[in-house]
């Protein structure tokens, strides 16, 4: 059976320039950068529209395909339709300073309130001292003090008069009082004079002094309470004057916030505290700390200031926050500390916001991988979403690693939509291993990797190219340059009927082409610039490929591209190095012999073969047994190996080549070494598609070029992979010139016919293969093995004799 190579026209599907009516991309209007993502965009819009808890969004898809760009665009439009979020402040809790209070104010009014409190403190720092330094206050304060002194002095004078009536004098010393007897001239009696008095007189004086002393002690015990009464009067006076100095200023401020009950309640508490601590507003002399240039603690007036946590004064829409380092602290905020005399001190003014605070009332965009890489950040985000409030707490305290007293700021209610971006594997792992994930992120926005290539989609793609060039401030592209970009995009999609929508690669390509256009001082990017950018990118990445091809050319890696060999075939594999991948031919050999029906996969036996490769070997083993040994024992042993393979072998794309090598060994028919084979096979002998077909074909083409073309070289691929062909132009030209062929097969038999030059053969009416066909030779060989086994299994008659 003759199998014809593919037409060169099938090896590359060009983009028709007639699809584009423009001369340069300058003529195209700017549009969105996202194309072909209708499903994902609908999901994002739906998730943003549902105002229920748990309807947060996970945008999943490969990196570089526009997830973040799409999220930004849609979220930005949604945010434009919403008002600015509320401002949030932390203020002192006068009842419990360790638990600062949170205040919500409309957007822009938080900053106004903070500045108003600053002005209030400044005004009170002037008005309070001025009030207490006034003549009226001093007069009334002196009156209270005079009244207290007169009261004490009057009581002492009354006691002194009573003592004098009894010939006793009350003497006041520097720190105490004493009673002494006096004579007729009111002079204290000397000891000898007292001794001259009769015993009755002496006893009377002793008794009277004892009585007076008791009265004095009683009086002295009353003095503190009298002084306390005086202090209370002074305190009441201070309160009266403080109210006079404070109330009208606070009332004026409260009028501006009459619509905010929480703010008014705070001002009421602040007013009472200011009245109680009015002396804090008096100027203080500089202390030793300032003389030593040591950072002093905050002033007492600090407790009346406002810590403006989130300020949306300059915002006209809902906030959009992208946190590039979503750690525990960066998400929920922190409480800072200040060193003071060897200790760490803090207060409500040192509370700092996190991304959730800034995004409250709007949208928070996070990279899922970065989030999961930060210790406990994922648990913190989940707990915040579950409770619906942002609670600022240090990670050490959350984990119970410290027990010191710290601030516990009042939690702030959370009303934000969270959008995570990440790859599919991460989404499915979270769905499987975290039972809470599905409750918190109910919307999955799954991004496509490619879109169907059609005249309409190509036109849309051209507009994306134009918009990208405009946004990145690049030179316009002419029509042929756009054509080449579309063709390259189909190559990146590994499908002639698809276009890759990986914006990152497209963006990089346009920037490199723009640089090349700039180097030649051109105003437009042309097709040559695009091709040169592609070639330069390959050049930067292909060092390993060059070393491998050099080793093949020098005979260090054994590859034959001419001649015929039994049981030996050229398989094709793809090596990926980052974003760059290339094809490499590998020699596969097979040996067969009499055995028990086992095919030994040497790669698996040495633990170099992956599970998919092992599966492919088991499938081809089943195929051989089911086709050739249905009525007789499968009495063969075979060995398969990738020669000069020193690393992991994975995938089933070599199963067709391995099967053909085994059948060649069994049939004794040599395989054309000028052909390389790729494709997987099923138990029915059908050839199935594989990945990386373009790289595999080009890899073998490059090796043939290194070793020299002979006009018979080519590659056998699955027929279902023809639609994936977007080969390099040099490969297409070689096919057109008859130097290189690409064959597409649907079955193992078609591949065998190409490789051996013999018909594979089909069973006749009697169920037999023709003797000179590949299948006939294989079946005959297996029957020979079976007969040998039967003969060996018969008892030896000579032994019985």
């Amino acid at each position: 059976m003759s199998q014809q190579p593919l037409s060169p026209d099938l090896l590359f599907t060009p983009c028709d320039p007639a699809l584009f009516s423009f001369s340069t991309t300058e003529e195209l209007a700017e549009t969105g950068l996202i194309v072909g993502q209708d499903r994902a965009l609908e999901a994002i819009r739906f998730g943003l529209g549902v105002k229920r808890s748990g309807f947060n969004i996970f945008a999943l898809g490969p990196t570089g395909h526009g997830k973040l760009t799409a999220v930004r665009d849609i979220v930005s439009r949604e945010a434009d339709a919403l008002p600015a979020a509320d401002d949030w402040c932390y203020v002192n809790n006068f009842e419990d300073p360790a638990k600062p209070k949170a205040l919500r104010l409309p957007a822009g009014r938080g900053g106004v309130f903070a500045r108003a409190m600053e002005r209030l403190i400044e005004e009170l720092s002037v008005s309070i001292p001025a009030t207490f330094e006034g003549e009226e206050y001093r007069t009334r304060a002196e009156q209270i003090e005079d009244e207290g002194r007169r009261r004490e002095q009057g009581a002492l004078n009354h006691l002194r008069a009573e003592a004098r009536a009894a010939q006793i004098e009350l003497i006041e010393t520097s720190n105490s009082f004493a009673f002494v007897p006096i004579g007729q001239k009111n002079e204290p009696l000397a000891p000898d004079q007292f001794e001259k008095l009769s015993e009755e007189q002496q006893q009377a004086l002793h008794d009277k002094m004892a009585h007076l002393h008791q009265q004095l002690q009683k009086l002295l015990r009353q003095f503190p309470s009298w002084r306390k009464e005086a202090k209370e009067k002074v305190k009441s006076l201070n309160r009266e004057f403080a109210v006079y100095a404070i109330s009208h200023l606070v009332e004026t401020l409260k009028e501006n916030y009459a619509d905010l009950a929480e703010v008014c309640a705070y001002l009421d508490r602040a007013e009472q505290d200011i009245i109680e601590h009015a002396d804090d507003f008096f100027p203080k002399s500089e202390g030793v700390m300032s003389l030593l240039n040591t950072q002093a603690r905050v002033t007492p007036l600090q407790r009346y200031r406002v810590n403006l946590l989130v300020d949306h004064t300059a915002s006209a829409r809902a906030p959009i926050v992208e946190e590039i380092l979503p750690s525990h602290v960066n998400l929920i905020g922190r409480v800072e500390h200040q060193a003071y005399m060897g200790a760490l001190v803090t207060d409500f003014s040192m509370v700092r916001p996190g991304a959730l605070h800034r995004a409250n009332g709007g949208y928070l965009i996070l990279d899922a991988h970065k989030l999961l890489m930060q210790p406990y950040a994922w648990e913190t985000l989940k707990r915040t979403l579950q409770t619906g409030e942002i609670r600022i707490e240090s990670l050490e305290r959350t984990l119970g690693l410290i027990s010191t007293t710290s601030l516990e700021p009042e939690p702030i209610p959370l009303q934000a939509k969270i959008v995570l971006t990440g790859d599919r594997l991460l989404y499915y792992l979270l769905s499987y291993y975290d039972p809470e994930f599905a409750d918190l992120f109910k919307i999955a926005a799954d991004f496509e990797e490619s879109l169907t290539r059609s005249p309409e989609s190509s036109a849309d793609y051209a507009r994306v190219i134009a918009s990208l060039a405009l946004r990145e401030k690049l030179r316009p592209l002419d029509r042929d340059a756009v054509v080449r970009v579309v063709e390259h995009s189909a190559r990146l999609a590994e499908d002639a009927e698809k276009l890759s929508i990986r914006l990152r690669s497209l963006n990089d390509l346009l920037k490199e082409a723009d640089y090349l256009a700039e180097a030649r001082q051109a105003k437009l990017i042309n097709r040559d610039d695009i091709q040169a950018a592609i070639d330069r990118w390959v050049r930067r990445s292909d060092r390993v490929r060059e070393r491998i091809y050099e080793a093949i050319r020098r005979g260090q890696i054994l590859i034959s591209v001419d001649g015929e060999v039994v049981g030996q075939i050229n398989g094709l594999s793809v090596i990926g190095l980052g974003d760059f991948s290339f094809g490499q031919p590998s020699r596969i050999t097979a040996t067969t012999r009499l055995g028990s029906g086992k095919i030994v996969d040497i790669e698996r036996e040495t633990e170099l073969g992956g599970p998919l490769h092992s599966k492919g070997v088991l499938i081809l083993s089943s195929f051989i047994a089911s086709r050739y040994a249905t009525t007789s024992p499968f009495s063969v042993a075979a060995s398969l190996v990738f020669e000069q393979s020193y690393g992991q072998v994975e995938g089933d794309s070599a199963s067709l080549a391995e099967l053909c090598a085994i059948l060649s060994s069994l049939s004794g028919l040599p395989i054309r070494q000028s052909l390389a084979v790729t494709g997987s096979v099923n138990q029915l002998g059908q050839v199935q598609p594989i990945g990386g077909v373009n790289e595999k074909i080009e890899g073998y083409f490059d090796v043939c070029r290194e070793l020299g073309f002979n006009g018979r070289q080519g590659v056998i691929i699955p027929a279902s992979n023809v639609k994936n062909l977007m080969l390099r132009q040099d490969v297409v030209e070689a096919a057109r010139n008859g130097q290189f062929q690409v064959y597409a097969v649907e079955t193992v038999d078609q591949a065998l016919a190409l490789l051996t030059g013999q018909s594979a053969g089909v069973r006749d009416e009697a169920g037999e293969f023709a003797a000179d066909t590949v299948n006939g030779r294989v079946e005959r060989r297996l029957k020979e093995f079976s007969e040998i086994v039967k003969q060996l299994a018969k008892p030896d008659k000579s032994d019985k004799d």
Side-chain angles (χ1 to χ4, degrees):
M1 182 178 71
S2 176
Q3 184 80 18
Q4 296 299 318
L6 293 175
S7 167
D9 294 335
L10 296 177
L11 305 183
F12 180 84
T13 304
C15 176
D16 186 1
L19 294 176
F20 309 124
S21 59
F22 58 87
S23 298
T24 72
T25 54
E26 280 184 309
E27 302 171 19
L28 299 178
E30 185 177 6
T31 185
L33 298 181
I34 307 302
V35 61
Q37 302 288 5
D38 294 342
R39 179 189 294 105
L41 300 185
E42 289 173 7
I44 294 174
R45 294 189 187 98
F46 176 75
L48 296 179
V50 177
K51 307 302 181 183
R52 302 281 183 177
S53 62
F55 282 84
N56 298 298
I57 302 166
F58 194 112
L60 60 147
T63 302
H65 282 71
K67 299 189 301 296
L68 185 57
T69 301
V71 168
R72 286 171 176 166
D73 288 347
I74 297 178
V75 167
S76 180
R77 287 194 292 270
E78 292 290 330
D80 289 339
L82 297 176
D86 292 333
D87 294 341
W88 284 94
C89 307
Y90 269 116
V91 294
N92 188 23
N93 184 346
F94 300 104
E95 290 77 21
D96 188 355
K99 297 181 179 180
K101 291 285 188 181
L103 294 181
R104 182 204 296 259
L105 297 94
R109 297 183 68 182
V112 175
F113 179 58
R115 292 188 291 273
M117 287 299 296
E118 290 285 346
R119 289 194 299 271
L120 176 64
I121 294 170
E122 293 175 0
E123 292 174 359
L124 292 177
S125 298
V126 174
S127 63
I128 290 177
T131 300
F132 282 85
E133 290 171 1
E135 185 65 27
E136 182 180 358
Y137 173 80
R138 287 201 298 269
T139 300
R140 293 181 60 180
E142 290 172 358
Q143 287 177 352
I144 294 173
E145 292 176 0
D146 290 344
E147 288 176 0
R149 286 194 296 270
R150 285 196 299 269
R151 186 177 184 184
E152 291 182 9
Q153 194 61 42
L156 290 173
N157 290 339
H158 179 75
L159 184 60
R160 183 176 287 109
E162 183 180 352
R164 285 180 178 176
Q167 295 296 307
I168 298 173
E169 183 66 39
L170 175 62
I171 299 176
E172 184 175 354
T173 64
S174 60
N175 56 2
S176 63
F177 293 91
F179 290 100
V180 296
I182 57 177
Q184 295 297 326
K185 296 182 180 180
N186 294 329
E187 295 178 355
L189 294 178
D192 57 340
Q193 293 177 325
F194 183 77
E195 292 294 334
K196 294 178 180 180
L197 298 176
S198 63
E199 292 182 2
E200 292 79 5
Q201 290 176 323
Q202 291 181 10
Q203 185 62 42
L205 288 172
H206 276 300
D207 293 343
K208 188 62 176 177
M209 284 191 293
H211 174 69
L212 291 172
H213 185 72
Q214 290 179 353
Q215 288 184 297
L216 176 62
Q217 292 299 320
K218 182 179 180 180
L219 189 62
L220 291 176
R221 285 194 295 270
Q222 287 180 324
F223 281 178
S225 62
W226 292 354
R227 290 170 184 170
K228 184 177 180 180
E229 290 177 8
K231 288 182 179 180
E232 288 297 328
K233 291 181 180 179
V234 172
K235 188 175 181 180
S236 178
L237 178 66
N238 290 343
R239 186 178 183 85
E240 177 185 344
F241 275 78
V243 169
Y244 172 77
I246 297 168
S247 294
H248 70 283
L249 295 176
V250 176
E251 287 298 324
T252 301
L253 183 58
K254 286 171 62 177
E255 291 177 0
N256 297 329
Y257 299 94
D259 57 327
L260 301 175
E262 292 184 356
V263 175
C264 291
Y266 164 73
L267 290 174
D268 288 337
R269 292 192 295 270
E271 179 181 5
Q272 296 303 316
D273 192 80
I274 293 172
I275 291 172
E276 296 295 331
H277 300 84
D279 56 334
D280 289 341
F281 287 83
F282 287 88
K284 303 294 189 300
S285 60
E286 293 186 356
V288 177
M289 299 301 292
S290 60
L291 295 177
L292 296 177
N293 293 325
T294 302
Q295 188 176 12
R297 262 183 99 177
V298 294
T299 65
L301 302 184
Q302 184 73 25
R303 64 179 182 269
Y304 305 117
R305 291 188 167 90
V306 174
N307 179 6
L308 182 58
L309 197 71
V310 181
D311 183 11
H312 293 295
T313 301
S315 300
R317 63 174 187 173
I320 302 172
V321 176
E322 291 183 41
E323 180 53 61
I324 60 174
L325 182 61
S327 63
H328 170 89
V329 169
N330 290 347
L331 283 176
I332 64 170
R334 65 190 183 277
V335 177
E336 294 181 343
H337 293 75
Q338 186 181 55
Y340 175 70
M341 298 187 68
L344 294 176
V345 296
T346 187
D347 61 17
F348 72 95
S349 66
M350 297 184 188
V351 178
R352 298 294 178 260
L356 287 166
H357 294 98
R358 299 193 301 273
N360 203 8
Y363 308 91
L364 176 60
I365 303 172
L366 300 172
D367 184 290
H369 182 263
K370 293 179 180 178
L371 177 67
L372 292 169
M373 290 295 291
Q374 297 299 319
Y376 295 94
W378 174 244
E379 294 299 324
T380 297
L381 178 62
K382 288 197 300 181
R383 184 174 63 251
T384 302
L385 294 176
Q386 288 164 346
T387 60
E389 60 183 22
I390 312 170
R391 184 180 296 273
I392 300 177
E393 191 173 42
S394 68
L395 187 56
E396 297 86 354
R397 187 177 182 85
T398 301
L399 299 177
L401 300 178
I402 60 172
S403 58
T404 55
T405 302
S406 183
L407 292 186
E408 297 181 20
E410 181 181 9
I412 291 177
L414 175 64
Q415 294 177 334
K417 189 71 71 172
I418 312 299
V419 182
L420 296 183
T421 62
D423 57 36
R424 292 192 180 97
L425 177 60
L426 191 56
Y427 172 80
Y428 294 128
L429 287 175
L430 286 171
S431 300
Y432 185 80
Y433 287 106
D434 192 337
E436 299 172 329
F437 176 72
D439 294 331
L440 300 176
F441 292 88
K442 298 180 182 294
I443 305 299
D446 198 351
F447 280 74
E448 299 283 355
E449 301 175 32
S450 60
L451 74 157
T452 301
R453 183 177 175 183
S454 66
E456 294 76 15
S457 63
S458 297
D460 292 339
Y461 205 80
R463 284 190 286 271
V464 170
I465 294 172
S467 299
L468 192 58
L470 188 61
R471 292 191 184 188
E472 296 293 338
K473 298 180 180 179
L474 307 178
R475 287 167 175 76
L477 286 76
D478 65 22
R479 181 167 54 182
D480 288 339
V482 174
V483 166
R484 185 66 189 100
V485 172
V486 171
E487 293 170 346
H488 182 65
S489 177
R491 168 61 184 255
L492 293 179
E494 297 185 4
D495 196 326
E497 299 176 357
K498 300 284 186 180
L499 292 176
S500 171
I501 45 181
R502 188 178 183 186
L503 291 181
R504 179 183 299 174
S505 298
L506 177 60
N507 190 20
D508 293 343
L509 175 63
L510 295 183
K511 288 179 179 178
E512 293 185 28
D514 180 75
Y515 169 78
L516 296 173
E518 180 183 11
R520 61 184 184 86
Q521 299 181 348
K523 295 182 179 181
L524 297 175
I525 299 173
N526 62 22
R527 184 186 183 94
D528 291 338
D529 295 324
I530 298 295
Q531 185 60 51
I534 296 172
D535 294 340
R536 286 170 178 257
W537 178 81
V538 172
R539 171 65 178 165
R540 293 194 300 269
S541 307
D542 71 346
R543 185 189 65 83
V544 175
R545 182 179 68 173
E546 283 191 359
R547 299 289 81 79
I548 291 176
Y549 292 170
E550 179 185 7
I552 293 174
R553 185 180 69 252
R554 298 173 64 183
Q556 295 171 332
I557 297 177
L558 301 179
I559 297 292
S560 298
V561 297
D562 198 8
E564 296 179 343
V565 181
V566 174
Q568 176 177 299
I569 194 169
N570 291 324
L572 295 173
S573 59
V574 173
I575 297 177
L577 301 173
D579 290 336
F580 179 68
S581 59
F582 62 93
Q584 177 190 354
S586 299
R587 174 175 291 181
I588 301 173
T589 59
T591 60
T592 56
R593 56 202 174 278
L594 183 65
S596 58
K598 180 179 180 181
I599 296 181
V600 176
D601 178 11
I602 295 178
E603 306 296 337
R604 180 178 62 184
E605 297 297 324
T606 57
E607 298 184 356
L608 290 177
L612 294 180
H613 179 260
S614 299
K615 176 185 176 182
V617 174
L618 292 174
I619 289 174
L620 66 88
S621 173
S622 175
F623 168 78
I624 295 174
S626 63
R627 169 174 279 196
Y628 303 109
T630 57
T631 60
S632 60
F634 187 42
S635 304
V636 68
S639 298
L640 277 171
V641 68
F642 275 74
E643 302 290 354
Q644 294 183 286
S645 171
Y646 308 106
Q648 192 77 12
V649 176
E650 180 58 310
D652 64 348
S653 64
S655 58
L656 174 61
E658 292 169 327
L659 176 57
C660 292
I662 292 175
L663 296 180
S664 169
S665 178
L666 287 171
S667 67
L669 293 173
I671 290 177
R672 294 170 55 189
Q673 300 301 294
S674 58
L675 295 178
V677 181
T678 183
S680 68
V681 66
N682 62 21
Q683 293 187 110
L684 302 177
Q686 297 170 326
V687 179
Q688 303 170 137
I690 44 81
V693 65
N694 292 296
E695 289 81 0
K696 291 177 178 179
I697 295 173
E698 292 168 355
Y700 190 65
F701 172 83
D702 291 337
V703 169
C704 292
R705 182 170 54 189
E706 291 283 339
L707 300 179
F709 288 120
N710 59 21
R712 297 182 297 274
Q713 292 147 342
V715 174
I716 298 174
I717 66 170
S720 51
N721 276 124
V722 173
K723 65 182 66 176
N724 300 110
L725 296 179
M726 287 294 292
L727 296 173
R728 296 192 318 242
Q729 288 304 305
D730 56 344
V731 181
V732 176
E733 288 301 319
R736 185 171 285 113
N737 296 332
Q739 293 178 300
F740 194 81
Q741 294 82 37
V742 178
Y743 299 92
V745 298
E746 296 179 347
T747 65
V748 174
D749 290 339
Q750 292 176 353
L752 287 171
L754 284 169
L755 291 168
T756 63
Q758 299 289 328
S759 172
V762 295
R763 295 189 185 275
D764 56 21
E765 295 179 357
E768 299 292 334
F769 289 110
D772 59 345
T773 62
V774 178
N775 289 330
R777 290 171 181 265
V778 172
E779 189 171 59
R780 184 169 64 251
R781 184 60 171 165
L782 290 177
K783 286 181 179 180
E784 291 174 359
F785 285 160
S786 178
E787 290 297 326
I788 295 173
V789 171
K790 289 179 181 180
Q791 292 296 326
L792 293 174
K794 289 181 179 180
D796 192 342
K797 294 181 179 181
S798 62
D799 291 342
K800 292 182 179 181
D801 295 340

